Amino acid sequence: MSSTLLFRGGRAFTPDGFAEAVLVRDGVIAAVGAEADLVRLAPGAEPVDLGGGLLTPGFTDAHIHPVQAGLERAKCDLSEVYGLDAYKAAIAAYAAKNPEKEWIDGGGWDMAAFPGGLPHRSQLDFLDRPAYFVQRDHHAAWVNTRALELAGITADTPDPADGRIERDPDGTPSGVLHEGAMDLVGLLTPRPTPADVDAALMDAQAHLFSLGITGWQDAIVGSYAGSDDQLPAYLSAASSGRLKARVVGALWWDRAQGAEQIPGLVERRAMAEGLDRFRATSVKIMQDGIPENFTAAVIEPYCRCGGTGLSYVDPALLGGYVKELDAQGFQVHFHAIGERAVREALDALTGTDPANRHHIAHVQIITPQDVPRFAEIGVTANLQPLWATHHLQMDELCIPYLGEERASWQYPFADLVRHGTRLAGGSDWPVSSANPMEAMHVAVNRTEPGSSVHATYPTAQTPFLPEQSLGLRTVMTAYTEGSAWINRSPAGVIEAGRPADLVVLDRDPFALDPKDIWTTRVVMTFLDGEQVHG
């Protein structure tokens, strides 16, 4: 392609509205405006026909796990099927195709496919080898009896401090390991080689380019839940130029340690200094789990089962850790789902420097009194909109245990905006689809996109707390400018002087019935004016 491009034949999404055409020269946006004016500026520019579609900035995913996703795609991937029979068929086929593998492992199973959200070890005991399958949202693992035996896990094995071993009524481990208990088996599985990890990263990058994602923040760079440290793979890919996307790594905060790990984080950050496409300037603190397994930290006990979940980092110490990270110039990237975890994160971030662009991801449950605090403190809400629907997991494993009032506090996107909160958007892939257009569909409609496995669930098209829906412009800005801002990326906006990280959509979602937003597809993706997809 020419070094001078003229995007025309549709319209472009800009901060002030829409533009008719965009001129790109040497990888940089040179001008935005009327097509006739830009033709006069560069009469020899190579035209790129938008075909009536929309040109947007490249999307940035502010909370994602690409290496893990790539590794799972190379193993027994259950994310494209649903239900026990389908899972067993896929696992049996994979085992037959890979007789040399010592373990049968993979991921992508959905809690909603099982009564009470819990599979059982016996359902994997048809295999002649140990099995380890990570749950779709990476907060639990499903293992068979052989895997439990190899790990020495019995009725007498205590729960780790940051997890739980699910048990049968007689105390025998049932085959589900929650949170920190995943490592009891996960660390025994065969380790991927550096070549495997590199291939996973490159596969993930290609997939994300196909969805218009030109940058991301990897939400766990470190060893967690049986996975190895991804930092070497990023350093290698960035040094060689194979990593083309703009990436920030969120270094994992080891919740078994305290402030003594901060010098090591500083050293790890320094390893990426000078690289063009990768920086390790964020630290990820996972403060709680998820409500479906009662590990999300809540204020009042869960209905029916009691308990108030887990705060993985002692709240009395959390503020001190965060202040020290802030003083070291780190951005803090929180995982907080329950309303107590959100409050603990906000408390810890109070008094920190807003210039470090701290953010809280997931924010599933927020008390009404805590919603205004995001804007007051200068903390960004990092949204994963795909989860804000009446899907099976929500209706059967969340709402009944949260109770009516607390369930009404879930994903209060519009309330956050009304109070002036800055938004970023992410997917948590492979927990859920990485497709930004599907996430935008949910943010606008609060219903399942038609592509979802839950799309035909009885209440899937009933809007979930519709008063919390966002306008398409608001959520598209979150996935472009908002997430790029989190990453200190110069991209994310279509205006002169910005890098030409651009996406051509096959239609203009602003011209569609909102119920059809999810049907929008990416035709071409450009990074610094270079076409990387399409």
Side-chain angles (χ1 to χ4, degrees):
M1 270 192 168
S2 166
S3 62
T4 304
L5 306 174
L6 179 63
F7 292 85
R8 53 161 302 281
R11 59 179 183 167
F13 179 79
T14 69
D16 300 323
F18 299 95
E20 190 178 31
V22 174
L23 181 67
V24 170
R25 183 179 287 119
D26 298 326
V28 176
I29 298 172
V32 181
E35 180 180 346
D37 293 339
L38 301 192
V39 168
R40 283 193 293 272
L41 276 176
E46 179 179 348
V48 179
D49 186 6
L50 301 180
L54 183 70
L55 184 72
T56 74
F59 303 124
T60 296
D61 193 309
H63 184 104
I64 192 170
H65 307 279
V67 176
Q68 189 63 35
L71 288 170
E72 288 183 11
R73 282 157 61 93
K75 295 180 182 180
C76 185
D77 184 7
L78 303 179
S79 64
E80 299 300 319
V81 297
Y82 183 77
L84 177 59
D85 290 343
Y87 293 155
K88 292 179 70 172
I91 293 167
Y94 180 85
K97 187 177 178 180
N98 295 277
E100 78 289 353
K101 288 189 175 290
E102 297 180 14
W103 285 69
I104 302 301
D105 58 349
W109 58 274
D110 194 324
M111 291 182 73
F114 299 95
L118 298 172
H120 196 269
R121 66 180 189 280
S122 61
Q123 295 160 331
L124 292 174
D125 283 345
F126 68 89
L127 293 167
D128 60 353
R129 285 161 277 178
Y132 179 85
F133 286 90
V134 177
Q135 179 195 358
R136 178 177 60 86
D137 63 12
H138 285 230
H139 288 271
W142 175 24
V143 302
N144 63 2
T145 301
R146 180 61 181 142
L148 291 169
E149 291 172 347
L150 286 174
I153 300 174
T154 69
D156 296 325
T157 303
D159 291 340
D162 61 347
R164 187 174 79 249
I165 300 168
E166 200 68 44
R167 303 173 192 270
D168 290 335
D170 65 357
T172 303
S174 68
V176 175
L177 306 172
H178 298 287
E179 306 294 344
M182 297 166 68
D183 278 349
L184 300 177
V185 171
L187 293 177
L188 301 179
T189 61
R191 300 293 87 197
T193 66
D196 293 335
V197 178
D198 181 80
L201 177 56
M202 292 299 100
D203 174 63
Q205 178 175 252
H207 178 67
L208 296 174
F209 284 166
S210 77
L211 298 174
I213 296 168
T214 56
W216 63 79
Q217 184 161 145
D218 190 314
I220 297 180
V221 175
S223 300
Y224 167 71
S227 66
D228 295 330
D229 183 15
Q230 305 89 345
L231 184 59
Y234 275 118
L235 297 177
S236 173
S239 297
S240 68
R242 290 174 295 114
L243 183 68
K244 296 183 180 297
R246 305 179 195 277
V247 180
V248 167
L251 301 174
W252 176 244
W253 179 270
D254 185 346
R255 53 207 188 202
Q257 299 184 56
E260 70 274 11
Q261 67 187 289
I262 293 177
L265 295 171
V266 172
E267 291 177 3
R268 283 165 64 78
R269 177 175 63 185
M271 295 170 70
E273 288 180 0
L275 294 177
D276 180 46
R277 295 298 178 174
F278 178 76
R279 293 176 295 111
T281 50
S282 187
V283 172
K284 165 69 173 298
I285 298 178
M286 183 180 286
Q287 186 58 10
D288 71 340
I290 58 173
E292 292 90 341
N293 65 12
F294 317 121
T295 57
V298 294
I299 295 171
E300 297 296 329
Y302 286 99
C303 303
R304 302 185 186 179
C305 69
T308 57
L310 300 174
S311 293
Y312 291 138
V313 181
D314 184 344
L317 301 174
L318 180 62
Y321 300 154
V322 168
K323 300 300 188 298
E324 189 167 345
L325 290 169
D326 181 66
Q328 291 285 348
F330 278 111
Q331 173 189 89
V332 179
H333 178 158
F334 267 106
H335 162 120
I337 283 186
E339 74 273 17
R340 189 178 85 236
V342 172
R343 180 171 293 176
E344 289 166 355
L346 289 169
D347 289 347
L349 290 168
T350 299
T352 57
D353 186 352
N356 286 326
R357 307 187 185 189
H358 306 303
H359 49 118
I360 304 177
H362 309 324
V363 290
Q364 179 171 344
I365 312 166
I366 312 176
T367 66
Q369 56 265 46
D370 282 330
V371 169
R373 297 181 66 198
F374 283 79
E376 291 167 1
I377 298 169
V379 173
T380 297
N382 185 337
L383 311 182
Q384 284 64 60
L386 271 172
W387 307 345
T389 71
H390 276 294
H391 51 276
L392 185 60
Q393 193 164 312
M394 172 63 73
D395 285 2
E396 296 196 3
L397 300 178
C398 278
I399 292 175
Y401 294 96
L402 294 177
E404 183 177 353
E405 181 182 31
R406 185 163 45 198
S408 72
W409 299 342
Q410 293 187 88
Y411 305 115
F413 301 161
D415 285 348
L416 287 164
V417 170
R418 278 191 283 271
H419 284 281
T421 305
R422 185 186 292 270
L423 304 181
S427 66
D428 212 7
W429 184 59
V431 172
S432 43
S433 167
N435 189 333
M437 296 311 305
E438 293 178 354
M440 292 182 213
H441 175 98
V442 173
V444 172
N445 294 282
R446 307 281 289 202
T447 59
E448 286 287 305
S451 51
S452 165
V453 295
H454 296 290
T456 59
Y457 176 64
T459 59
Q461 301 309 319
T462 299
F464 177 72
L465 303 175
E467 67 277 11
Q468 298 297 344
S469 66
L470 297 176
L472 180 56
R473 172 165 288 275
T474 298
V475 68
M476 186 171 285
T477 299
Y479 268 86
T480 53
E481 183 178 1
S483 293
W485 186 86
I486 283 292
N487 271 9
R488 297 184 184 274
S489 168
V493 179
I494 293 179
E495 65 182 14
R498 300 273 191 162
D501 294 4
L502 301 169
V503 177
V504 179
L505 302 179
D506 68 342
R507 62 202 71 186
D508 184 343
F510 290 91
L512 297 176
D513 184 315
K515 293 181 173 54
D516 294 326
I517 291 171
W518 71 273
T519 65
T520 306
R521 298 288 180 266
V522 171
V523 178
M524 291 181 280
T525 304
F526 295 81
L527 217 158
D528 286 325
E530 175 191 354
Q531 189 170 346
V532 293
H533 169 73

